[in-house]
Amino acid sequence: MRIGVLALQGAISEHLASLQRAGADEAVPVKRKDDLQGLDGLILPGGESTTIGKLMNQYDLLDPIREMAQAGVPMFGTCAGLILLANRIDGQDWVHLGVMDIFANRNSFGRQRESFETDITISGLEGKAFRAVFIRAPHIIETGKDVEVLAVVNERIVAARQGHLLATAFHPELTGDIRLHQYFLDLVKNAQ
Amino acid sequence: MEVGTSRVKRGMAEMQKGGVIMDVINAEQAKIAEEAGAVAVMALERVPADIRAAGGVARMADPTIIEEVMSAVSIPVMAKARIGHFVEAKVLESLGVDYIDESEVLTPADDKFHINKKEFTVPFVNGARDLGEALRRIAEGASMIRTKGEPGTGNVVEAVKHQRTMQAQIRKVQMMSEDELVFEAKSLGAPLDLLLEVRKLGKLPVVNFAAGGIATPADAALMMYLGSDGVFVGSGIFKSENPAKTARAIVQATTHYQDYKLIAELSKNLGTPMKGIELSTLAENERMAERGW
C-alpha cells in the first residue's frame, strides 16, 4: 500500500509520520505529476489552501489528481485539504479539485486568536473521544446526498465521508492519535 | 474548547511550512503577495530597508495599516512589536492579527527582557542567531523561530550563518550525554529541558524559518537547503523592479528548492533586485541582529 502526501506546502512531515505509524507500507511526498504514479491513496494536508491551490495549478496537478479521485483512488483532506476537495466554496465562484459534494466555508471559526482544540466524537471511530485541533479552520455548511456526516462541533460539520473521500476541518496529524489515518488506510484497503 | 494552547499556537506555524511570508505595507501589496502564493503577510509601516534608511526609533505600525491589510486578504496576517514591548503586543492581539513577530527590526523597548509570550492567545515568532537564543525564546513562549539574518540588506550571508550555526549546534547536542548537556545548557544559556527535547527530536521543538536578507529565488532555495522550514522575505520583494514576478518566483523556488533547472527558469528576467548592502560597510550599531538578549 503506497500512500502519497501532497507536499507543496503545509504540514507534510506530520502526515507522513502518522501514516507510517498507522501501518502504511510506504508513505511518500508528492511534488510533481510523476510522483502520483502507483499511488493507492492520497492525503491533501493542512496549509494555506490559497497557496496550495495556486501551486497545484502551476504544476498541472489539478487535472491528474481530480481524475484519480474520479477513478476511485481514496483521498483524505485535512483543513486546507477539505477546501481543495469541496465542489462549492462559500464566497467564491471557483473551486480547486471540486470532487467532493460538500459546501465549504473557509476560516469559519475566526482568526488564529479563536483557534482551539477540543474533544469530539467521530462516527465510526471506537474508543475514547478524539482530540481535534482547529487552526483557522473551515467547516462544511452543507453536504450532498451521498455524503455521510462523521462529526459536528458547535452545530458545524467538521468531518465527512463520501465513499472513498474523507475530509476533516481539524488536524489529526498534530496529535498522536492515528485512528483517522487507520480509518483512511481501511478505505484504501477496501478500494483495492 | 481551549484556545491559545501550545499545540494550537505551534500548529499554526506548522501550517506555514514550505511557504513564504512576505512583508507588505498596504492592501495593494498584500493582494500581490496573496496572488503570488504567500502563506502569510507581515503588515508593516515600512519595510526593513526603509526603516534602516529612515533611522530614528522604529515602532509598531499604525493599526490602520494592519486593519487595511487584514481586510484585504484571507491568508494570515502577522505584525511586529518591539522587543519587550508587552503593550504593543497586546494591542496587536486585540486587533486580531494571527501572529506577532517580536522583532529586532524595530527599536527594542526593553534592554534586558523579552515579552512573556505565554500570556498571549496569539502565537509569537522570534528571531535567533543560535540554538541558545532560540531556546530562550521558546522558553518565553515563542511558537516559531526564524533566523535573524541582517534585515533590510538584501544580503543573505547572516541568515546563512545563523541557520548553519543552529543546525551544527543541534547535531552536536544529539551526540551528547545527559551530563554533558548540563554543561552545554550553561554555555548556550539555554534551558536543559528544552535541550533534552532537541536531542530527542533532532530539531527545534517549533517550526524554524529563515529571515533577514533573502532577496532572490536562489536565496530562498539556499535557506531551504540548509534546513529552514520556510522563508520570510522582507524588503526583497517590494524593493525589486518586478514585485509580482519576484514574489511568484520565490514561492516556487521555496517549494521546489532542489530543482535547479526550475530555479534557473524562475530567475530569468526578474529585473533589478534590491541593491543590497555589503555587511562589512555596516557599523556595529547599525546591525539589527545584535538586538535581543
Side-chain angles (χ1 to χ4, degrees), chain A residues 14 31-32 59 117 131, chain B residues 2 5 14 252 255 259:
Chain A
E14 291 83 353
K31 284 198 173 193
R32 296 280 194 185
Y59 293 100
E117 55 178 286
R131 191 69 176 168
Chain B
E2 292 174 68
T5 62
E14 302 284 348
Q252 293 189 39
T255 306
D259 188 339

Side-chain angles (χ1 to χ4, degrees), chain B:
Chain B
M1 299 215 316
E2 292 174 68
V3 297
T5 62
S6 161
R7 192 149 56 188
V8 166
K9 294 200 275 192
R10 291 179 180 188
M12 162 71 192
E14 302 284 348
M15 297 310 140
Q16 304 269 297
K17 283 194 300 189
V20 182
I21 299 168
M22 302 181 191
D23 280 2
V24 299
I25 59 162
N26 55 37
E28 187 201 347
Q29 290 189 354
K31 282 183 183 144
I32 291 172
E34 183 175 49
E35 190 51 41
V39 289
V41 289
M42 177 79 70
L44 295 167
E45 209 162 303
R46 286 190 285 237
V47 294
D50 290 334
I51 291 176
R52 208 173 260 296
V57 175
R59 310 176 178 91
M60 172 186 83
D62 183 331
T64 323
I65 293 171
I66 296 167
E67 283 175 342
E68 178 190 322
V69 168
M70 281 169 59
S71 54
V73 293
S74 68
I75 54 176
V77 175
M78 302 187 172
K80 288 186 197 292
R82 280 182 266 175
I83 288 172
H85 207 311
F86 184 86
V87 172
E88 281 189 352
K90 279 290 176 193
V91 168
L92 294 175
E93 182 174 60
S94 80
L95 291 174
V97 303
D98 297 295
Y99 236 93
I100 297 171
D101 184 4
E102 186 183 16
S103 178
E104 67 282 3
V105 167
L106 306 181
T107 311
D110 192 316
D111 67 351
K112 286 195 182 63
F113 304 108
H114 283 251
I115 296 169
N116 179 5
K117 295 164 271 287
K118 288 183 174 161
E119 289 183 11
F120 288 74
T121 306
V122 165
F124 277 73
V125 55
N126 275 85
R129 284 160 295 185
D130 54 39
L131 184 59
E133 195 171 17
L135 295 182
R136 286 196 294 281
R137 298 295 85 82
I138 294 168
E140 293 154 1
S143 305
M144 180 182 193
I145 293 293
R146 54 170 176 76
T147 61
K148 285 182 163 174
E150 192 52 51
T153 61
N155 190 339
V156 79
V157 64
E158 292 295 293
V160 167
K161 183 162 89 186
H162 299 161
Q163 192 59 272
R164 275 199 183 274
T165 304
M166 217 171 320
Q167 300 295 344
Q169 287 170 324
I170 290 171
R171 282 193 295 272
K172 188 174 158 204
V173 160
Q174 281 181 279
M175 310 292 289
M176 287 181 146
S177 62
E178 207 163 320
D179 49 345
E180 288 169 335
L181 274 182
V182 175
F183 187 77
E184 188 68 5
K186 183 184 163 195
S187 46
L188 288 174
L192 178 62
D193 60 329
L194 287 176
L195 271 182
L196 287 165
E197 203 178 339
V198 168
R199 184 176 70 163
K200 197 172 110 197
L201 297 170
K203 63 183 191 67
L204 292 183
V206 303
V207 164
N208 180 10
F209 267 49
I214 295 155
T216 66
D219 285 351
L222 173 65
M223 294 314 301
M224 293 301 286
Y225 180 84
L226 291 175
S228 310
D229 289 319
V231 298
F232 283 85
V233 185
S235 322
I237 289 169
F238 290 99
K239 285 283 160 194
S240 72
E241 196 179 326
N242 191 339
K245 200 173 170 192
T246 303
R248 247 190 338 265
I250 291 179
V251 168
Q252 293 189 39
T254 303
T255 306
H256 294 287
Y257 64 95
Q258 287 169 309
D259 188 339
Y260 307 116
K261 222 172 144 178
L262 174 75
I263 297 169
E265 283 307 310
L266 294 170
S267 307
K268 285 180 183 167
N269 302 314
L270 285 180
T272 319
M274 71 180 286
K275 183 163 177 274
I277 301 171
E278 157 55 31
L279 265 295
S280 61
T281 65
L282 268 189
E284 209 57 39
N285 63 1
E286 292 175 324
R287 294 189 177 219
M288 293 170 172
E290 305 300 320
R291 300 164 167 177
W293 344 110

Side-chain angles (χ1 to χ4, degrees), chain A residues 127-149:
Chain A
K128 62 179 181 11
F130 197 94
R131 191 69 176 168
V133 183
F134 293 82
I135 295 172
R136 288 172 47 98
H139 88 282
I140 301 171
I141 301 171
E142 242 173 50
T143 55
K145 64 174 171 43
D146 299 328
V147 179
E148 182 193 353
V149 172

